[in-house]
Amino acid sequence: MSQQIETLLSDIKPDAVKTGMLLTRQTVDAVATAVRTYRIKNLVIDPVIRASSGKMLLNQDAVRAIKRDLFPLALMITPNIPEAEVLTGMRILTDEDMDFAAGKLLDTGPRYVLIKGGHRASAAVVDTLYGGKTVLSFSTVRLKGEFHGTGCVLSSAMAVFIGKGLPVERLWKRRNCLWKRC
């Protein structure tokens, strides 16, 4: 893993990096070392922890390592509600719970926390961005059907636009423009 990362980053330094499923503590360690070594400033972490089926996709020691070693290096982390629950050790049932969980996650070091609300049972999906004194929410009508990977696509799109120099708050205010021309 380390050789793959080094091969990529020693050739061209990216303007932003987004992580997804990391699985093991060793992988988390390799990513953290590379981010520090190559001084990656725009790190977006999508902490993929559990599959929709409930199967764990991030080992328990890797959960601790990602919080301890990667979150302090991150510009933004983008957990969905079940991931935020695992990362904070608390249930998120209300908006106040989500606010408190975001505060706990901000305390681990990232500049921004985007909690993706698609797992809440409601007619609308509400994603909320926290950072500094900023709390911005975006609501959209829930589409009918089962969808997988939408959180990954969202965090990837955000990393692309951050890499192009768009500030996070401005990006979030223009979030609907990620999916169409504005």
Side-chain angles (χ1 to χ4, degrees), residues 149-160:
T150 55
C152 180
V153 170
L154 174 59
S155 58
S156 295
M158 293 185 86
V160 167

Side-chain angles (χ1 to χ4, degrees), residues 34-82:
V35 168
R36 284 190 300 273
T37 301
Y38 292 97
R39 296 183 178 98
I40 302 299
K41 299 291 182 224
N42 294 321
L43 177 63
V44 177
I45 299 173
D46 185 4
V48 178
I49 294 176
R50 183 177 287 141
S52 298
S53 66
K55 180 179 173 158
M56 288 297 287
L57 299 174
L58 188 64
N59 296 343
Q60 203 54 39
D61 62 338
V63 171
R64 287 188 297 276
I66 200 170
K67 287 171 56 177
R68 181 189 65 233
D69 301 330
L70 273 181
F71 284 5
L73 304 173
L75 173 64
M76 176 189 295
I77 64 171
T78 65
N80 59 36
I81 288 176

Side-chain angles (χ1 to χ4, degrees), residues 63-102:
V63 171
R64 287 188 297 276
I66 200 170
K67 287 171 56 177
R68 181 189 65 233
D69 301 330
L70 273 181
F71 284 5
L73 304 173
L75 173 64
M76 176 189 295
I77 64 171
T78 65
N80 59 36
I81 288 176
E83 292 163 343
E85 289 177 336
V86 170
L87 292 165
T88 61
M90 61 178 284
R91 292 281 294 150
I92 300 173
L93 302 173
T94 66
D95 290 343
E96 292 77 22
D97 294 339
M98 196 157 67
D99 293 346
F100 188 70

Side-chain angles (χ1 to χ4, degrees), residues 9 16-17 23-24 27 33 39 51 58 69 78 85 102-103 108 122 133 139 142 148-149 160 171 174 180-181:
L9 296 179
V17 171
L23 185 61
T24 67
T27 303
T33 297
R39 296 183 178 98
L58 188 64
D69 301 330
T78 65
E85 289 177 336
T108 64
S122 64
K133 295 179 172 66
S139 177
R142 182 180 302 280
H148 300 281
V160 167
L171 170 66
R174 294 178 44 120
K180 61 184 181 192
R181 284 189 194 264

